[in-house]
Amino acid sequence: MKRQGILEELRVRGVRLTPQRLLILNAVAEGEGHLGVDEVFRQAKQSYPYMDIATVYRTLHLFKRLGVVTEVAIGDRLHFEIRDPDRRHHHMVCAKCGGAYDLAPDYLDGFREALMKEFSFEPDLDNFTVTGVCANCNAGPSDSPQG
Amino acid sequence: MKRQGILEELRVRGVRLTPQRLLILNAVAEGEGHLGVDEVFRQAKQSYPYMDIATVYRTLHLFKRLGVVTEVAIGDRLHFEIRDPDRRHHHMVCAKCGGAYDLAPDYLDGFREALMKEFSFEPDLDNFTVTGVCANCNAGPSDSPQG
DNA sequence: ATTGCTTTTGCAAACGGTAGCGACTGCTTA
DNA sequence: TAAGCAGTCGCTACCGTTTGCAAAAGCAAT
């Protein structure tokens, strides 16, 4: 399934699949998009105590560059999720409660087309996140009352 | 004109207009949206050598919170510009050449309305920036050839 | 297997940004 | 004018992230 496909693709692209990288990929996959850098680090370190935080950063950046993972900014924290081209989506993040919601890509189709048509500007919306206030917090603000 | 209006409003809101804050506001205004934190710092320090970088950060955050300045992410750098409610706009930033272009707010009106109508999610698009590849770089990539 | 070359790693130092703290400033009240 | 108080400042220590570098690992050719 998914995991194998990714590994296969990395191999084809000539990316070395070191034990460290596999552990990090695994951690991100298990975390299902909810893990930050430090959590990925701790997770991977459990299996391999020599794991270094710098390696985690380097590897996550590598994976992002390769299109294997996606970075989602939630508040001031970065979360990582496996990128599945068949399940592309954007994210809505509530600035009050910190909740994150997936958003179907077609909500931005019009925007993308307008930019391309009018400015020949090709937007990169893959890692797109829109912040705001979610329905719950708008109704009855729980985090910062009297907002 | 503009500058005076801002000062007046800050005064009314009970915000102290210290020399440091005035220098920082000035630097941002003079920079016309092209200055990063360090440049604002250096600029302000010329007039007042005791200026501290922490004060610059604190003040810029304060101004942002008060709606006086806007933060624009260009690459991994944050730029600051005076926020003029009558001239609201978003930004397009080219990932290749780093160029930044203003974008009329109505390009996102449809998006905003869809989110509010369908999810009761009230997006904060004030500091919105979309990255991508501009017309020039798409035609003849100057920065990273053979992209 | 051995050699030579490239990539990756772990460590440590450096960097950018933030937070704590004591000193100072500018109000308010007397 | 003095005392009290809140807000702000500069300094320093700190935390998360990045970079430099030498050692290790992987790969290709012999």
Side-chain angles (χ1 to χ4, degrees):
Chain A
M1 56 148 299
K2 212 83 268 308
R3 206 81 52 90
Q4 285 309 318
I6 293 173
L7 297 182
E8 180 54 27
E9 205 205 307
L10 290 178
R11 224 187 307 270
V12 167
R13 291 225 242 166
V15 176
R16 273 199 210 162
L17 299 174
T18 67
Q20 290 92 334
R21 287 177 181 174
L22 293 176
L23 285 171
I24 290 165
L25 184 65
N26 241 39
V28 174
E30 302 290 329
E32 289 178 347
H34 300 299
L35 270 50
V37 175
D38 52 331
E39 290 162 313
V40 170
F41 173 50
R42 255 174 296 163
Q43 183 66 28
K45 196 164 188 169
Q46 281 189 8
S47 308
Y48 174 59
Y50 290 106
M51 179 68 72
D52 193 273
I53 186 69
T55 300
V56 175
Y57 279 106
R58 279 190 285 232
T59 303
L60 288 175
H61 290 165
L62 173 72
F63 284 168
K64 189 191 167 190
R65 224 179 315 128
L66 294 171
V68 170
V69 305
T70 292
E71 223 178 58
V72 184
I74 297 186
D76 50 1
R77 259 173 71 103
L78 291 179
H79 292 237
F80 291 85
E81 68 180 28
I82 300 288
R83 193 170 98 97
D84 183 342
D86 299 331
R87 284 184 172 67
R88 274 202 195 122
H89 57 275
H90 309 299
H91 295 92
M92 293 185 289
V93 173
C94 178
K96 292 206 175 175
C97 68
Y101 310 87
D102 289 356
L103 178 69
D106 42 279
Y107 282 95
L108 281 164
D109 281 354
F111 180 58
R112 153 178 268 132
E113 274 156 32
L115 294 192
M116 294 193 67
K117 195 167 144 198
E118 306 218 12
F119 307 104
S120 301
F121 186 90
E122 193 182 316
D124 166 25
L125 299 172
D126 265 13
N127 291 38
F128 176 84
T129 298
V130 58
T131 60
V133 182
C134 73
N136 287 342
C137 293
N138 243 336
S142 59
D143 183 278
S144 63
Q146 175 0 35
Chain B
M1 54 146 298
K2 211 85 269 303
R3 204 82 52 90
Q4 285 309 316
I6 293 174
L7 297 182
E8 180 54 28
E9 205 205 306
L10 290 179
R11 224 186 309 268
V12 167
R13 290 225 241 166
V15 177
R16 273 199 209 161
L17 299 174
T18 67
Q20 290 91 335
R21 287 178 180 175
L22 292 176
L23 285 171
I24 289 166
L25 184 65
N26 242 37
V28 173
E30 301 291 328
E32 290 178 346
H34 300 301
L35 271 49
V37 176
D38 52 330
E39 290 162 313
V40 171
F41 175 50
R42 254 174 296 163
Q43 184 67 28
K45 196 164 188 170
Q46 281 189 9
S47 309
Y48 175 57
Y50 290 106
M51 180 66 72
D52 193 274
I53 186 70
T55 299
V56 175
Y57 279 106
R58 278 191 286 234
T59 304
L60 288 175
H61 290 166
L62 173 72
F63 284 169
K64 187 189 169 190
R65 222 179 316 128
L66 294 172
V68 170
V69 305
T70 292
E71 224 178 58
V72 184
I74 298 186
D76 49 1
R77 259 173 71 103
L78 292 178
H79 293 237
F80 291 85
E81 67 180 29
I82 300 289
R83 192 169 98 98
D84 183 343
D86 299 332
R87 283 185 172 66
R88 273 202 196 124
H89 58 276
H90 308 301
H91 295 92
M92 295 184 287
V93 173
C94 178
K96 292 207 176 176
C97 68
Y101 310 86
D102 289 355
L103 178 68
D106 42 279
Y107 282 95
L108 281 164
D109 282 352
F111 180 58
R112 151 177 271 131
E113 274 156 33
L115 293 191
M116 294 193 68
K117 194 167 146 199
E118 307 219 11
F119 307 105
S120 300
F121 186 90
E122 192 182 317
D124 166 27
L125 299 171
D126 265 13
N127 292 37
F128 176 85
T129 299
V130 58
T131 59
V133 182
C134 72
N136 288 341
C137 293
N138 244 335
S142 57
D143 183 279
S144 62
Q146 169 11 26

